[in-house]
Amino acid sequence: GAVVSQHPSRVICKSGTSVKIECRSLDFQATTMFWYRQFPKKSLMLMATSNEGSKATYEQGVEKDKFLINHASLTLSTLTVTSAHPEDSSFYICSAISGTGNYEQYFGPGTRLTVT
Amino acid sequence: AQKITQTQPGMFVQEKEAVTLDCTYDTSDQSYGLFWYKQPSSGEMIFLIYQGSYDEQNATEGRYSLNFQKARKSANLVISASQLGDSAMYFCAMRERLYNFNKFYFGSGTKLNVKP
């Protein structure tokens, strides 16, 4: 199946700093990428939908100035958590769809963010 | 109303037995897709099976089958011959098409424990 990579897999940062997470589709062109946040033992919460070459669409309640999303190419989307705080600590997962077939989502392995 | 409902927060099954994980969905679209994902403790989301709303036959993928009952709006996952490695969280998801964009909804998940 299609492969989506995510980097870094784990990151620890200090409160007030910014962290960038990369999501890459390795063997297909992703017309759309999604960013999710998952709290322990909870479901995935969609944060935003990222379409190549256009601004991301954020879900209600997600601060666009805090969670900056850039989808500059068909294989790369980045999520930057700006001025991170401990409450931003979470598991962030990206996914990508190719826009053909069943529109199946291919998920990255996730990034565990810990803000101290 | 919730788009995807998984009513079983946790399930136990004996190894080699079959188990059914429930999922009901809510949509007014005629064209939609239903997915099941497995999330082991490592965190990655693993695609298991897909059912399109127009597919007349139930989808099957190895030991996984999807019991699709369109009139009842249910899409239960059946795992046959459970294995210890099947212990994980299982998420049901639905794709709708909204203003030419794909929108995905996830259920709250079911934690499956396979007992030896």
Side-chain angles (χ1 to χ4, degrees):
Chain A
V3 178
V4 174
S5 71
Q6 212 172 315
H7 178 79
S9 57
R10 288 181 178 272
V11 58
I12 300 172
C13 71
K14 293 192 174 180
S15 189
T17 61
S18 295
V19 173
K20 181 186 280 188
I21 303 170
E22 289 188 351
C23 179
R24 292 181 186 271
S25 57
L26 297 184
D27 53 0
F28 68 101
Q29 293 188 324
T31 53
T32 305
M33 287 183 167
F34 302 91
W35 286 96
Y36 294 89
R37 183 174 179 175
Q38 187 178 30
F39 293 101
K41 299 183 181 179
K42 297 291 184 184
S43 187
L44 281 71
M45 182 190 81
L46 180 65
M47 298 174 66
T49 302
S50 167
N51 292 294
E52 187 267 337
S54 62
K55 288 185 180 179
T57 303
Y58 289 82
E59 295 299 303
Q60 197 170 13
V62 178
E63 298 175 58
K64 59 179 70 175
D65 293 332
K66 179 162 188 62
F67 298 100
L68 300 178
I69 292 172
N70 184 279
H71 192 162
S73 76
L74 283 172
T75 59
L76 173 64
S77 177
T78 60
L79 167 68
T80 302
V81 183
T82 63
S83 187
H85 287 100
E87 56 265 30
D88 299 325
S89 299
S90 194
F91 191 56
Y92 293 87
I93 309 177
C94 73
S95 71
I97 58 174
S98 68
T100 60
N102 298 328
Y103 298 100
E104 177 191 332
Q105 285 189 88
Y106 299 98
F107 285 89
T111 296
R112 174 84 50 200
L113 171 64
T114 304
V115 185
T116 60
Chain B
Q2 287 218 346
K3 285 286 189 179
I4 295 284
T5 302
Q6 293 180 252
T7 57
Q8 307 152 313
M11 290 277 287
F12 284 92
V13 65
Q14 201 68 40
E15 194 179 7
K16 300 179 186 175
E17 298 285 313
V19 63
T20 298
L21 306 184
D22 294 342
C23 173
T24 57
Y25 59 92
D26 180 31
T27 182
S28 54
D29 282 6
Q30 296 301 310
S31 177
Y32 52 90
L34 298 158
F35 303 82
W36 276 92
Y37 291 90
K38 173 184 177 181
Q39 187 180 41
S41 56
S42 54
E44 78 268 30
M45 296 285 283
I46 302 167
F47 165 75
L48 295 179
I49 196 165
Y50 167 81
Q51 179 86 41
S53 57
Y54 292 119
D55 295 341
E56 295 188 351
Q57 291 198 325
N58 287 342
T60 59
E61 287 284 349
R63 293 187 298 112
Y64 304 108
S65 60
L66 198 151
N67 185 357
F68 181 44
Q69 302 203 17
K70 197 169 182 177
R72 294 185 180 182
K73 293 188 176 177
S74 76
N76 298 340
L77 176 70
V78 180
I79 305 174
S80 62
S82 299
Q83 301 172 355
L84 295 178
D86 294 335
S87 294
M89 281 289 286
Y90 288 81
F91 292 99
C92 179
M94 177 176 68
R95 172 189 53 76
E96 284 184 331
R97 194 106 172 125
L98 188 68
Y99 303 119
N100 217 33
F101 290 105
N102 289 293
K103 185 102 176 176
F104 289 85
Y105 303 91
F106 282 82
S108 54
T110 296
K111 182 155 177 58
L112 177 66
N113 284 293
V114 180
K115 298 186 291 185

